Amino acid sequence: MTHFLDIHKTDAGELRRMLDHAAAMKTARAGRPKGMPDDESPLAGRMVALIFEKPSTRTRVSFDVGVRQMGGQTMVLSGNDMQLGHGETIADTARVLSRYVDMIMIRTFEETTLQEMADHATVPVINGLTNRTHPCQIMADILTIEEHRGPVAGKKVVWCGDGNNVCASFLHAAGQFGFDMVFTGPPTLDPEAEFIEGARAKGVSVEIERDPIRAVADADVVVADTWVSMHDSQTTKERRHNQLRAYQVNTDLMARAKPDALFMHCLPAHRGEEVTSEVMDGPNSVIFDEAENRLHAQKAIMRWCLGV
């Protein structure tokens, strides 16, 4: 079964073919109304279940639109609809859904939920996000970098802030695509050592630099993400702000990177917290290209999973 669970679990050559396919599909849609189907209908007659234990804007809309553009249909299910693992096991849910649909995308909390779904489904499963990784976002990010700056191999990407699930998938991508990374943030929020060592084992440089000014020197790409989750308590939010305030991406920090360094953020952003509006709306920002490219990258991922 061809699942898309994490970037480091997928062959690097297959990842490259997905991105090339995504770029080609994006070019083919240029100037076309958003609701008009693609010239091909590779998902015609296919039903895709989109499961959301965690709320979403970009993931839900981009997957839904992508399936429809490729001629398929979607069934959107919330955590309340499913109550995954409460009563019926996740394994049994996977077996049942596999009798009804052709593919499952799940956006969930625990990585174990994703893995159990994949272990027992007889249709492809796609990781739409877990607390630990976010591979679809990073596929869109690599597509975006290469649109603007050419091949990502050999470039320097600097992550500012919290070594969270998006950062983890960036580290996976560094190893697979051959670019270097620097993490700058407080020690309490470092990425998991497993992810750092995994990238280094692939021959790329991964550094930890506490000084954000030194970290962004000669950076090709500067990346930030939200400091807090909607589920965090007020106390947790205040503690994180205190820890991360020094790592805000602002015009002064961007000025220390290369003059043409891209700024990236997977959105939603808290303007004035992890990044200023001047940077988000500035000439080096590609945040809305990233958001659009979720659509194209995920269409390529779905086609790869189904072999169409």
Side-chain angles (χ1 to χ4, degrees):
M1 188 56 56
T2 307
H3 301 306
F4 185 76
L5 304 182
D6 272 314
I7 287 174
H8 69 305
K9 295 177 181 177
T10 306
D11 179 77
E14 296 300 311
L15 293 170
R16 171 52 59 193
R17 280 186 278 277
M18 282 184 238
L19 289 183
D20 290 345
H21 200 179
M25 285 191 289
K26 181 176 182 178
T27 298
R29 285 202 64 85
R32 180 176 299 205
K34 306 298 186 295
M36 183 179 289
D38 294 346
D39 288 334
E40 300 178 80
S41 296
L43 266 61
R46 309 271 187 149
M47 177 65 72
V48 181
L50 307 177
I51 302 173
F52 293 93
E53 282 201 291
K54 299 184 82 167
S56 168
T57 299
R58 274 150 294 279
T59 300
R60 176 168 178 165
V61 175
S62 58
F63 267 107
D64 199 350
V65 170
V67 172
R68 292 167 187 259
Q69 286 182 350
M70 294 190 292
Q73 298 183 64
T74 60
M75 177 183 296
V76 181
L77 301 164
S78 72
N80 290 332
D81 296 327
M82 303 289 295
Q83 295 188 333
L84 280 173
H86 301 286
E88 184 174 59
T89 65
I90 295 166
D92 285 351
T93 299
R95 294 182 182 106
V96 170
L97 283 178
S98 297
R99 301 296 181 101
Y100 300 144
V101 304
D102 299 286
M103 184 161 49
I104 299 167
M105 188 288 302
I106 181 169
R107 181 180 174 94
T108 188
F109 292 92
E110 300 303 324
E111 185 180 48
T112 53
T113 301
L114 168 73
Q115 191 60 57
E116 190 170 357
M117 182 72 71
D119 286 344
H120 296 279
T122 55
V123 298
V125 174
I126 296 173
N127 177 2
L129 174 142
T130 70
N131 286 347
R132 204 160 183 238
T133 60
H134 196 359
C136 289
Q137 177 64 55
I138 302 311
M139 290 292 282
D141 288 357
I142 302 303
L143 179 62
T144 305
I145 292 169
E146 296 196 334
E147 280 182 342
H148 288 270
R149 297 291 182 265
V152 71
K155 288 190 165 42
K156 176 181 176 180
V157 175
V158 179
W159 181 276
C160 296
D162 177 9
N164 62 12
N165 54 353
V166 185
C167 180
S169 287
F170 245 121
L171 286 165
H172 291 157
Q176 295 291 64
F177 291 101
F179 60 88
D180 298 327
M181 278 195 70
V182 177
F183 171 81
T184 186
T188 52
L189 298 175
D190 279 353
E192 290 185 38
E194 174 187 332
F195 300 146
I196 294 172
E197 295 309 318
R200 287 173 176 166
K202 294 289 184 72
V204 299
S205 171
V206 179
E207 298 178 16
I208 306 292
E209 173 55 67
R210 302 299 175 200
D211 182 345
I213 292 175
R214 293 178 60 181
V216 301
D218 296 320
D220 296 288
V221 182
V222 177
V223 192
D225 197 3
T226 53
W227 290 347
V228 296
S229 166
M230 66 182 71
H231 306 290
D232 289 337
S233 67
Q234 187 59 37
T235 300
T236 299
K237 290 178 181 179
E238 290 173 2
R239 184 171 65 250
R240 279 177 164 264
H241 280 117
N242 290 335
Q243 289 179 296
L244 290 163
R245 192 167 288 114
Y247 299 96
Q248 181 191 70
V249 180
N250 50 42
T251 52
D252 289 340
L253 189 65
M254 286 298 295
R256 307 300 182 110
K258 287 183 178 178
D260 64 346
L262 301 177
F263 172 72
M264 306 186 79
H265 190 304
C266 66
L267 302 177
H270 295 84
R271 289 173 179 257
E273 293 184 10
E274 70 271 11
V275 59
T276 62
S277 289
E278 289 81 4
V279 171
M280 287 184 67
D281 299 327
N284 291 34
S285 173
V286 291
I287 58 175
F288 298 113
D289 290 342
E290 283 180 82
E292 177 187 347
N293 282 338
R294 288 288 300 277
L295 170 65
H296 308 296
Q298 289 163 184
K299 286 169 70 173
I301 291 166
M302 287 189 282
R303 293 189 66 169
W304 176 79
C305 286
L306 290 170
V308 294

